[in-house]
Amino acid sequence: MVKLITGARGRILGGHVLGHGAGTLVAEIALAMRRGIPAAGVATVIHAYPTYSDAVRRAADAYYTSRFGGTARAIAHWLARR
């Protein structure tokens, strides 16, 4: 499980990693925090093949997926059907 703690504008403030290989995944979160990379930047990272580190990208992607709702989601679905 990977959980990112973000500010209102998507800035990564911290994170939790539980499971096998957690120590290697924390490095990616720490780098993003140190360099000021927002969750959007982490969400767009493409790894060479599906690995444990892809869990960090998925957590960042989930942050933006949860914020994309309501009217914006309805408009996107309407546009996709056209």
Side-chain angles (χ1 to χ4, degrees):
M1 181 195 82
V2 177
K3 179 180 181 180
L4 295 177
I5 310 301
T6 60
R9 295 184 175 213
R11 181 170 168 248
I12 299 173
L13 304 175
H16 304 280
V17 181
L18 301 173
H20 180 73
T24 59
L25 298 177
V26 170
E28 190 169 354
I29 296 170
L31 176 65
M33 289 172 57
R34 177 79 173 161
R35 293 296 179 183
I37 301 169
V42 176
T44 60
V45 171
I46 299 173
H47 294 91
Y49 52 89
T51 61
Y52 286 122
S53 60
D54 194 46
V56 176
R57 183 201 55 82
R58 288 182 184 203
D61 190 45
Y63 167 76
Y64 283 98
T65 302
S66 70
R67 293 190 58 152
F68 186 67
T71 305
R73 181 176 289 206
I75 292 170
H77 283 285
W78 180 79
L79 290 171
R81 284 182 274 160
R82 297 194 132 266

